[in-house]
Amino acid sequence: MTDIDTQFLRSLFDEEGSLHTAGRTALYRLYGLEGLLYVGISTCPLTRIRTHLQQQSWGPRVIGIQIDYPDDAHAAEREAVHAERPLHNVIFNGEAAPPPPDRAARLRAELAAQQRRLEELRAAVPESTTHLRLILRGITAAQTKIAKLARDAEGAEAAQLPPGRRPKRTKP
């Protein structure tokens, strides 16, 4: 593979390893041997699909993926789930398709979610390097305490065993 090919392939993905979507919402379909397993939407489709593959009981059965970028991904998802009946979608899989959500209401809900995310990010940023050092010191202290508690728990469990079955203690 040439450097130009490598650069092109890298340009398709962001830092998290997901496809660049330029803010567009993708509609994705996951297929198994038994047919369509799941339909979903995401602005980071590969990241979302990876989550399904790792966390859903049906994830290992996925053998095919289709990603599209419709103009209105929310409506496309609703229609696809209602018409195609994926095996593992719960929402929109009833007898009658739900009414389409009001576009303005959907945008207001997305705006509120993004504002909450921004506030969470702002709250997570230390105010100064001193705050960052304090946070790191707290993490180190917590790790030390966890290690000590783990050793103490192992010791307590070993003490409950009969004398002949106790493991020999090794120095850390």
Side-chain angles (χ1 to χ4, degrees):
M1 187 179 319
T2 68
D3 287 340
I4 293 173
D5 294 334
T6 304
Q7 287 176 335
F8 171 73
L9 289 173
R10 285 187 181 146
S11 73
L12 294 176
F13 299 92
D14 62 20
E15 301 82 27
E16 295 178 356
S18 194
L19 284 173
H20 277 297
T21 61
R24 297 177 300 157
T25 301
L27 172 72
Y28 59 91
R29 290 175 173 86
L30 304 178
Y31 296 92
L33 290 174
E34 59 269 54
L36 183 61
L37 297 175
Y38 190 81
V39 173
I41 58 174
S42 176
T43 56
C44 297
L46 294 182
T47 302
R48 185 69 180 122
I49 290 167
R50 184 176 37 228
T51 302
H52 288 311
L53 297 177
Q54 293 172 346
Q55 296 180 359
Q56 297 297 330
S57 61
W58 46 265
R61 299 194 329 244
V62 173
I63 61 170
I65 299 168
Q66 178 184 355
I67 300 175
D68 298 306
Y69 292 90
D71 290 332
D72 187 348
H74 292 86
E77 177 192 28
R78 194 173 47 256
E79 292 166 11
V81 171
H82 183 68
E84 300 170 35
R85 299 282 192 213
L87 296 174
H88 297 285
N89 280 80
V90 177
I91 299 175
F92 309 140
N93 224 349
E95 290 299 316
D102 177 319
R103 178 168 161 68
R106 189 174 68 241
L107 290 172
R108 282 191 296 274
E110 187 174 338
L111 171 64
Q114 289 300 322
Q115 287 172 330
R116 282 192 305 274
R117 180 166 164 69
L118 176 60
E119 289 307 313
E120 290 170 0
L121 288 171
R122 283 183 178 157
V125 174
E127 294 177 19
S128 69
T129 55
T130 303
H131 287 92
L132 179 58
R133 282 194 300 272
L134 289 172
I135 291 169
L136 292 174
R137 191 177 300 155
I139 290 170
T140 302
Q143 291 172 329
T144 303
K145 187 169 187 169
I146 288 169
K148 182 184 181 316
L149 288 170
R151 285 191 306 271
D152 292 348
E154 287 174 5
E157 289 170 350
Q160 291 176 343
L161 295 174
R165 297 195 56 203
R166 290 184 187 159
K168 293 182 180 178
R169 185 169 169 106
T170 59
K171 293 183 181 180

